[in-house]
Amino acid sequence: MMVSAEDTITIGLLGAGSVGAHVARTLVEERELISARVGTPVRLGGVAVRDPEAPRDWKIPGELLTTDPEALVDSSDLVIELIGGLEPAEELIERALRRGAAVVTGNKALLASRGAELNAIAAETGAMLRYEASVGGAIPILRPIEESLSGDRVTKVMGIVNGTTNYILDQMDTTGAVFGDALAEAQKLGYAEADPTADVAGHDAAAKAAILGTLAFHAPFSFDDVYCEGITEVTQDDIEAAAASGYVIKLLAIAENHSKDQAPGVVLRVHPTLLPRTHPLASVRGAFNAVFVVAENAGELMFYGQGAGGKPTSSAIMGDVVAVARTLSIGKELRTPLTYTPTISSEVDLPPLPIEKATTQYYIDMDVADREGVIAEIARVLADHHVSIESMRQPGSVTVEGEVEDSSNGAKVQIVTHLASEKDLHATVQELRGLDVVQVVNSVLRVEIEK
Ligand code: HSE
C-alpha cells in the first residue's frame, strides 16, 4: 500500500466540477477535522483539471492545480476520481489501483460498465476501491447493503435514484408543469447530467441499478443487463389518470432476486412505475432519492436523502475518504499494508434475467367504443392470456381537443391487473390493440403494489 514515507496520507483529486470543488474545499478548510477523524494527518496533494482558469464553486488555491493527472496519481496514497465518464477516468483509476493506491470515485457510468474489471484489479493488488457517491448522492446506501446486510439475504431493491426525473415527474404531478419546463428547471438547479438524455432516458438510473444489484446479490451485473425505459413517453394525462386512481408515477430502478424460481437469476429494470400514494417511495418529492430494500430477516428498510448536487454528493465522497484513509493509516501503524478483498464475488451462479421473466402488475389505459359488451370483450382477452383484473375504472367520455365529447365518441377504460408476466401482458395488449371496440391503447405502465 502506498502510504508515503512521511507521516501523512497524500490525496490526489482528479476533477473539480461541482462535487470536486466541494471535496477540495473540505480537504483544505477542514483538514484538521478530517485528519482527526482519520487518526493520521491527511493533505490534499493536488487537483488535476483540464482548465486551471475555469470558474469553480470554490476557488482552489493555484499551487494545488495541475494539468498532469498521471503525475498526481503517481504521487498519491489515495486518489479521488471525479472526472466522470469512461475515459480517461478508467485509465487513471486502473493506474492508481495497479500501484496499490486507494481509489474513491462517484463514477456510476464507469462502475456499471467496468466495475467487475476494476474490482478484479483491486483484488489483485489489495488496493481499496470505494464508490458510495455513485448511487443516491449523499445517501449511505452501498455500505449498508454491502456490509450491514452481508449476513442477510436481500430479495429486492427498489429505488428512486435519479433526482432529475423525480423532480420532473413531481413537478408534473403537483403543479401540472410541462415536461420541458420541469427539465429546464432541473438543469438550472444542477441536478441533471451534462447531457440530460442520460437522466430522462433512464440510463443514469440503469447504471445505478447495476451497481445496486451487484452489491445486493453478490454477483456482477453491468449496465447492459438492465432493461431500461425512460420518462419521455409519460404524459400529463398519464399523471392525472394515475392521481385520480390514487397512484403516483415514479421512475424506479428495481433489482429483484428470482433465486427461488426454476431458473434462478436477477431481473434488473428501470421504468416509469405507478405506486400507490401510500407506498413509502411515493412520498419522495422533488430531486430527493430513496432506496427501499427488502431482506429476508431485516424486512423492509428505506434510505432517503439528497441524491444529486455538489455539496450532498461530496459528503459521500468524504465518508469514503475517511474510511479508506483510516485503513491506510492502520496499515502504516502496523508497518504492513493491509490487503483488501472486495465484497463483490460470484458466490452463486445468479445470471441476469430478461425482462420477460419479470412479474408485476400493470395499468392499461384505453379509449374504447361506448356500447354494450365492450367490457366483456376486453375482459375475455385478459382472461385468455391468464391476466387477472384487480380493478377497472371508466372515468368518463373521451375528450377531443380539450372538449368533452358525448359518449357516442367512446369511453375511457383504465385497468389495473393482478400480478402477470411481461410475456402474457404483451400478448394481451397486442390482442387488445386489434379489437374493433378498442380505439387506442393510450398507455401501458407497470404498477408496484406488493413489496
Ligand atoms: N443526474 C443525476 C440525478 C445526478 O439527476 O440524479 C446524480 O447522479
Side-chain angles (χ1 to χ4, degrees), residues 106 108 133-137 160-167 186 190-196 198-199 204-205 208 287-289 307-309 313:
K108 58 234 165 168
S134 63
V135 180
I160 294 171
V161 289
N162 182 270
T164 302
T165 47
N166 202 54
Y167 182 83
Y191 305 141
E193 297 299 299
D195 174 3
D199 298 297
D204 176 76
K208 292 164 180 170
F288 274 79
N289 282 196
T313 308

Side-chain angles (χ1 to χ4, degrees), residues 145 149 152-158 212-213 215-218 221 254-261 265-269 292-301 350 448 450-451:
I145 289 180
L149 291 169
D152 202 339
R153 280 182 209 277
V154 175
T155 53
K156 187 169 185 179
V157 180
M158 190 156 79
L212 287 168
L215 295 176
F217 303 120
H218 304 270
F221 299 109
I254 301 173
E256 202 170 9
N257 190 351
H258 289 240
S259 67
K260 295 202 172 101
D261 294 3
V266 171
V267 178
L268 299 153
R269 50 194 167 106
F292 191 80
V293 181
V294 187
E296 271 182 18
N297 296 324
E300 294 166 11
L301 305 156
L350 211 52
E448 290 287 331
E450 304 217 339
K451 290 159 190 159

Side-chain angles (χ1 to χ4, degrees), residues 42-284:
V42 298
R43 65 179 266 273
L44 179 59
V47 184
V49 293
R50 248 198 323 233
D51 176 9
E53 306 302 326
R56 306 206 150 78
D57 288 359
W58 182 72
K59 191 165 166 35
I60 297 169
E63 66 275 16
L64 287 176
L65 293 172
T66 170
T67 52
D68 186 349
E70 282 91 1
L72 183 60
V73 165
D74 292 349
S75 60
S76 300
D77 303 306
L78 194 168
V79 172
I80 306 173
E81 184 278 309
L82 291 171
I83 302 169
L86 303 188
E87 285 301 343
E90 181 180 9
E91 198 190 311
L92 292 165
I93 289 179
E94 193 175 328
R95 187 181 182 109
L97 294 173
R98 287 216 180 277
R99 54 181 293 278
V103 173
V104 171
T105 176
N107 194 330
K108 58 234 165 168
L110 178 59
L111 288 158
S113 62
R114 307 283 301 158
E117 289 80 0
L118 293 174
N119 271 291
I121 298 169
E124 195 186 307
T125 64
M128 285 174 280
L129 172 63
R130 309 293 312 196
Y131 39 92
E132 182 63 70
S134 63
V135 180
I139 308 172
I141 178 62
L142 300 191
R143 205 183 311 250
I145 289 180
E146 199 178 358
E147 294 179 9
S148 317
L149 291 169
S150 59
D152 202 339
R153 280 182 209 277
V154 175
T155 53
K156 187 169 185 179
V157 180
M158 190 156 79
I160 294 171
V161 289
N162 182 270
T164 302
T165 47
N166 202 54
Y167 182 83
I168 293 171
L169 293 172
D170 186 43
Q171 287 291 300
M172 288 171 78
D173 180 49
T174 55
T175 70
V178 294
F179 185 95
D181 291 349
L183 172 59
E185 191 59 24
Q187 287 178 285
K188 211 166 84 192
L189 292 167
Y191 305 141
E193 297 299 299
D195 174 3
T197 314
D199 298 297
V200 297
H203 301 158
D204 176 76
K208 292 164 180 170
I211 297 169
L212 287 168
T214 296
L215 295 176
F217 303 120
H218 304 270
F221 299 109
S222 79
F223 179 83
D224 294 334
D225 299 324
V226 185
Y227 171 84
C228 181
E229 263 176 50
I231 64 162
T232 48
E233 307 283 308
V234 177
T235 63
Q236 191 62 41
D237 279 353
D238 290 332
I239 288 186
E240 282 166 21
S245 303
Y247 295 98
V248 62
I249 300 181
K250 297 288 188 189
L251 183 74
L252 294 190
I254 301 173
E256 202 170 9
N257 190 351
H258 289 240
S259 67
K260 295 202 172 101
D261 294 3
Q262 275 182 335
V266 171
V267 178
L268 299 153
R269 50 194 167 106
V270 168
H271 49 71
T273 312
L274 265 76
L275 283 175
R277 288 200 178 246
T278 50
H279 191 287
L281 286 172
S283 60
V284 178

